[in-house]
Amino acid sequence: EDDLPLASALAEFLGAKGFVCERAASLQAARALLPLAHWGAVLLDWQLPDGEGLTLLPLLRARLPEAAVIVLTARDQITDRIQGLDAGADDYLVKPYDPDELLARLRAVERRRSTAQLPVLHLGELQIDLSREQVRRAGVPMALTQKEWALLRVLATRPDHLHTRERLQDALYGFDDDTGSNTLEVFISRLRRKLGREHIETVRGLGYRLVRGNAA
C-alpha cells in the first residue's frame, strides 16, 4: 500500500486484532521482503507507484503458496474483480472499505487455507492449533488473551527459530498505549505460566524462541 497514512492505520488496526504486520509501499519493496517472508496473508494494492500489484502474484504463489491474498483496489468493475481472482487472489475488496469487513474477509480466507494446511504443533504435553486459535496443555484448554495470541502466533509459526525483541514488540503494537520497556517481558511471563516455562527460551539481549523442552 503506497498511501502511508492508510497503511499505518491499517497496520495499527490489524495489530490490535493480534496480527503481526509488515508494510511495503511499492513492488520493489515487496520483492525485497519476499526472500525472508513468512506471511500467512497478503493485502495487495492493485495500483502501486512502480506497477500493478497483480504482477506480484506469481512470485507470492511461488514463494508463499499457503498465504492468503486479498486484492485491495478502487476498481469496482466486475471485469476487474474477475481479473484479480483469475490472477490468483483469494478475495477482492473495493476501496473505500470498512476495516471490520476487511478483518472478516481476512479471517475467512485465512481459515480456508490454514485449516487444511497448518498442522497442530505438538511440544511435549502442549498442543497449539493456530488455525483454530486453540491451545491445550496435557489435554486441558488454555485461555489466552489477544496480546498473548499475538505473541504466540509469531513464536509458533516458526518454532525453534529466534524471534527478535523488536519483532515480538511489533506484535503487541496497537493494542493500547502500554508500550513500556518491560511490556514484552510481562506477556512472555504470562505465556510461560500458561504454556510451561520450558517451552519459551530467552536468548539474552536478542529475543525468544519457542522450543520443544528443556529451555532456560
Side-chain angles (χ1 to χ4, degrees):
E1 173 62 69
D2 62 319
D3 183 328
L4 296 183
L6 174 59
S8 297
L10 184 56
E12 182 174 352
F13 172 77
L14 292 173
K17 302 300 181 182
F19 292 88
V20 178
C21 300
E22 290 186 299
R23 289 176 283 173
S26 66
L27 290 172
Q28 181 180 2
R31 291 190 187 104
L33 291 173
L34 265 175
L36 298 178
H38 293 275
W39 303 327
V42 177
L43 304 178
L44 183 62
D45 192 11
W46 188 312
Q47 193 62 48
L48 291 167
D50 51 350
E52 293 190 344
L54 293 188
T55 62
L56 192 64
L57 274 167
L59 289 176
L60 284 172
R61 288 301 181 215
R63 174 66 183 81
L64 301 166
E66 297 178 358
V69 179
I70 299 179
V71 171
L72 307 175
T73 179
R75 303 186 184 192
D76 59 358
Q77 299 299 309
I78 293 296
T79 53
D80 294 325
R81 300 185 189 191
I82 292 173
Q83 183 180 351
L85 295 172
D86 281 348
D90 294 286
D91 204 349
Y92 186 108
L93 195 57
V94 176
K95 299 179 180 180
Y97 50 82
D98 185 290
D100 287 319
E101 180 183 2
L102 173 60
L103 178 63
R105 289 176 181 248
L106 179 59
R107 285 176 169 164
V109 296
E110 191 179 48
R111 281 196 302 271
R112 289 202 299 268
R113 284 184 168 270
S114 64
T115 298
Q117 296 170 355
L118 275 182
V120 176
L121 183 62
H122 294 270
L123 304 176
E125 64 180 12
L126 196 65
Q127 295 181 344
I128 303 173
D129 187 342
L130 290 178
S131 63
R132 295 177 174 83
E133 291 197 347
Q134 296 176 351
V135 175
R136 293 178 179 271
R137 185 180 178 187
V140 178
M142 310 299 298
L144 302 185
T145 67
Q146 279 194 334
K147 286 187 177 182
E148 290 163 354
W149 266 114
L151 288 178
L152 187 58
R153 273 179 181 271
V154 179
L155 292 168
T157 300
R158 297 184 70 190
D160 297 318
H161 174 80
L162 173 63
H163 299 275
T164 65
R165 290 177 49 82
E166 291 75 17
R167 177 73 185 274
L168 294 170
Q169 285 171 335
D170 284 345
L172 297 175
Y173 177 78
F175 281 97
D176 51 38
D177 294 329
D178 180 18
T179 55
S181 60
N182 67 336
T183 300
L184 177 59
E185 284 72 20
V186 168
F187 287 98
I188 288 290
S189 177
R190 293 180 184 179
L191 270 181
R192 278 175 166 154
R193 285 200 299 269
K194 293 181 178 182
L195 306 182
R197 179 175 176 80
E198 71 275 11
H199 291 302
I200 300 179
E201 178 185 8
T202 301
V203 181
R204 295 192 182 280
L206 296 177
Y208 300 89
R209 62 164 58 97
L210 190 71
V211 296
R212 302 184 184 278
N214 300 321

